[in-house]
Amino acid sequence: LQLCLPIMGILFKLVQLSCKNRNIVPRRLLYTTTRLFKDYYKILGVQRSDSESTIKNAYYELAKLYHPDVNPNNPEASKNFAEISEAYEVLSDSRKRRDYESSTSKNSRKNWSYWSKSKPEDLYNDIFKDFSHDFDSEYATHPRQYVANISFLESIAGCSKTIEVMVNATCRRCFGKRAEPGTSVYRCPQCQGSGSVRFNQSGFHVMAECSTCKGSGFAVPKPCYECKGKGNTLQSRTIEIKIPSGVEDGQTLRAEVGNEEVFIVIQVAPSQKYRRQGFDVSSDVEISLSQAVLGGIMFVEGIYEQLSVRLQPCISSHDIIRLSGKGIRGKVHTGDHLIHIKIKSPSLLTSEQKALMLCFAETETSLGTVNGTTKTLDGTNKARQDIALVQKIKQLLVAFKTKEK
């Protein structure tokens, strides 16, 4: 045993030296036991039931936060970056995730060991390409749309709204040079700065975009970290849009922001007072019982001004009064305001009002009965004799008729 230990030490040194001479990088070994158990779900801030897409998004957000390039002098951030990379590398693979869950379950709690085959930076770069590709493809095929919420009266009169939009603008890090600050670009050796290459295909000379410089004519040895060598990034801009009068719900406006255009979809909040149909506006208006029977003048709040409306006698509920030219004003046409009549009965009658209504009930023939009256043989209603005020009103009516004669 005393002879074996020195020999094993010498062999270990020889293996290390051999790996160093051959530039062999030992595989990163991540090994945790029950005592050093790591909760990968907790590290990424996700649940065990979350999908692979949710886990991917969680990793991407954390990786951007703890990336060593963003935290150059923070060793704790590098440690966190490696930890979340390890967690994502396991949970993003269905087989590894299944093995991890079975090994670290409460019933099992076996030792969990894992050998990573990739560096944290390489894993992040692969994920970043996925996110960039998804965004670029969506951005290229779909115009950017934003929503502006306005009230009903704002849609009638027109207004101005401030909204935040995203536009492509010159990269703030490289100022459009596409290279990391402190580095330079040079003429592309593949296309000699022309941005295109010529090749022979089936006997024809074909011109195509240079695959090295992507048609720019310049090679970027160290692309800008922020814009990934594109020279521009998606940035937030606050713009003020003027919404014209008479705009309808769902209508789309176009606005130019720099060299780009964005589309703003108008969402008009429903009004509790008005209803719109084209350029016409409808509203419900309550009138009293006496106004309905005798007619009169009522005041209505229009969309532009206060309106005075004359009521004809004996108007009924659900009758419609059309006010021409009082609707929405368009460039070539102005709509109407339609008033839907609603007769509002008094919630509580005074003794005088009740007596008057009983006297009125005696003058009409109803299909049913009226409370406080009795039905006579000829179909009329007869008020009860015990109400003194009714008898007094009837006497006054008789005296009035006699005087008229």
Side-chain angles (χ1 to χ4, degrees), residues 133-339:
H133 174 73
D134 292 343
F135 178 80
D136 290 341
S137 60
E138 180 181 358
Y139 172 76
T141 55
H142 300 285
R144 278 168 289 176
Q145 281 193 165
Y146 302 89
V147 175
N149 295 296
I150 61 176
S151 66
F152 182 84
L153 291 180
E154 284 177 329
S155 72
I156 301 300
C159 62
S160 295
K161 286 290 179 180
T162 301
I163 61 173
E164 186 175 343
V165 300
M166 302 297 290
V167 295
N168 258 334
T170 302
C171 176
R172 297 188 180 100
R173 183 177 176 87
C174 67
F175 301 102
K177 296 180 180 179
R178 304 190 301 133
E180 270 289 286
T183 64
S184 59
V185 299
Y186 57 89
R187 190 173 66 172
C188 177
Q190 181 73 17
C191 64
Q192 302 300 319
S194 64
S196 58
V197 292
R198 177 183 294 180
F199 59 93
N200 191 300
Q201 184 176 4
S202 302
F204 295 94
H205 292 288
V206 180
M207 295 290 292
E209 182 183 90
C210 177
S211 59
T212 303
C213 65
K214 306 300 182 184
S216 65
F218 295 93
V220 185
K222 192 173 182 181
C224 172
Y225 175 76
E226 187 169 334
C227 67
K228 304 304 173 186
K230 296 179 181 178
N232 50 47
T233 57
L234 201 63
Q235 300 175 19
S236 173
R237 292 286 188 271
T238 300
I239 62 172
E240 184 177 1
I241 58 170
K242 292 185 178 180
I243 300 176
S245 60
V247 67
E248 295 190 60
D249 182 47
Q251 189 171 338
T252 301
L253 304 179
R254 186 177 63 180
E256 291 186 359
V257 185
N259 296 326
E260 299 184 22
E261 62 178 16
V262 295
F263 297 91
I264 296 94
V265 180
I266 306 300
Q267 286 190 354
V268 182
S271 173
Q272 296 181 351
K273 185 179 295 185
Y274 304 104
R275 298 179 299 276
R276 177 174 180 172
Q277 187 173 7
F279 286 94
D280 293 339
V281 173
S282 300
S283 63
D284 297 333
V285 178
E286 292 182 341
I287 62 174
S288 66
L289 187 61
S290 57
Q291 283 181 313
V293 175
L294 302 175
I297 294 177
M298 65 176 179
F299 298 99
V300 178
E301 187 176 348
I303 56 177
Y304 298 111
E305 58 189 349
Q306 192 83 359
L307 303 175
S308 176
V309 182
R310 180 172 294 278
L311 295 171
Q312 297 298 323
C314 302
I315 197 170
S316 301
S317 275
H318 308 297
D319 282 356
I320 299 175
I321 300 176
R322 180 181 289 271
L323 304 178
S324 299
K326 298 299 181 181
I328 299 172
R329 299 167 185 168
K331 293 182 179 180
V332 295
H333 175 72
T334 301
D336 302 333
H337 190 153
L338 282 70
I339 297 175

